[in-house]
Amino acid sequence: MTKTSGSLLGILLLSLTVSFAATAAEPVTPKLTEKLDRLLREEMRSIQTAMGQIHSAIVMGQHAKVAKQAQDIHDSFILQQSLTEQDRKDLMSAVPEGFIQLDKEFHQLAASLAEAGRNDDTAKQHQLFGKMTGNCIQCHSTYVSDRFPGVKPVRD
Ligand code: HEC
């Protein structure tokens, strides 16, 4: 009895440690080169602006504008564009796989949102906008905790 509960506790503690590690990864920002830091900030600011415009466009039913702005976010994909071979190597050594995955997922959501814009689908736009906001929070709370210590992890 004692033995069994002991090992169960061990498993529980182990899984707690693992999930804690997954939410409290080391910040990536100190590891970025100056150039990557600049590119990423630029990209983030333009994403921020686009998200604000998309929000207004969704609530006013301006579907073409939703499609255009979401497509622009998708196309801004820093990990696929405007990086030299060296930048790419620098990026890969600065950020973990989970960061790359989140960025990919985020840009795929932007593509789906552009599609929902083209389909005049307000409900879908609303849903995808929320998912994208969830991605901002997830990435910032996991990988940018040094700059944004106030962002709490969210489970959806
Ligand atoms: C895959 C990770 C990731 C996702 C997803 C992400 N961000 Fe960021 N964001 C970062 C990183 C890293 C920084 C810090 C960049 C730096 O300091 O070099 C940052 C910084 C920012 C900044 C500050 C820019 C500045 O001028 O310093 C804003 C604003 C921002 N993000 C907005 C957003 C919004 C809005 C979303 C979602 C719609 C989002 N981010 C999604 C990683 C992400």
Side-chain angles (χ1 to χ4, degrees), residues 116-130:
R118 288 190 289 271
N119 292 335
D120 296 359
D121 189 340
T122 301
K124 193 96 195 174
Q125 291 164 24
H126 176 216
Q127 184 203 11
L128 289 164
F129 190 87

Side-chain angles (χ1 to χ4, degrees), residues 28-29 32 36-38 40-42 44-45 47-49 51 73 98-104 106 132-140 143-144 147-148:
V28 297
T29 38
L32 298 170
L36 285 173
D37 180 59
R38 180 173 49 80
L40 209 51
R41 284 175 193 239
E42 275 169 16
M44 286 296 146
R45 283 194 294 266
I47 287 175
Q48 180 68 71
T49 306
M51 288 293 280
I73 291 180
F99 183 95
I100 308 278
Q101 282 307 321
L102 259 177
D103 190 75
K104 271 193 189 146
F106 176 72
M132 287 169 79
T133 305
N135 268 27
C136 322
I137 292 169
Q138 197 183 339
C139 191
H140 291 174
Y143 301 110
V144 205
R147 289 199 55 203
F148 306 131

Side-chain angles (χ1 to χ4, degrees), residues 15-66:
S15 56
L16 278 176
T17 319
V18 169
S19 62
F20 179 71
T23 52
E26 251 180 84
V28 297
T29 38
K31 299 184 194 137
L32 298 170
T33 60
E34 221 169 285
K35 183 180 175 192
L36 285 173
D37 180 59
R38 180 173 49 80
L39 286 176
L40 209 51
R41 284 175 193 239
E42 275 169 16
E43 183 188 11
M44 286 296 146
R45 283 194 294 266
S46 64
I47 287 175
Q48 180 68 71
T49 306
M51 288 293 280
Q53 294 189 350
I54 289 170
H55 186 266
S56 308
I58 290 174
V59 302
M60 292 189 285
Q62 297 168 340
H63 301 289
K65 193 167 170 191
V66 172

